[in-house]
Amino acid sequence: MHVYRCAECGRQFETEGFASRCPSCRCKVLVHIKGERRRAKSCSGNCGPSCSCGGCGH
């Protein structure tokens, strides 16, 4: 179970899986309050200059 709060409307809601939008206002900015965190994608080693994985030094 995951609990999120919307940064725009302030609504707090629960989901079984990961959420990407607020069910009320459709805002994409959510604060994860409770539940397992998403894991960062691992670096494949073939990243470009805009890589944000943090593991390859770009």
Side-chain angles (χ1 to χ4, degrees), residues 1-53:
M1 183 64 63
H2 299 274
V3 178
Y4 293 93
R5 185 177 65 243
C6 176
E8 188 168 323
C9 71
R11 179 177 180 214
Q12 187 167 318
F13 61 96
E14 296 181 354
T15 65
E16 288 293 324
F18 294 110
S20 60
R21 291 179 182 249
C22 174
S24 294
C25 70
R26 308 304 291 163
C27 176
K28 292 183 179 181
V29 182
L30 303 174
V31 179
H32 191 256
I33 297 172
K34 181 180 174 185
E36 183 180 341
R37 303 276 180 192
R38 286 188 188 212
R39 300 190 199 285
K41 293 180 181 177
S42 60
C43 179
S44 65
N46 297 323
C47 303
S50 62
C51 178
S52 61
C53 76

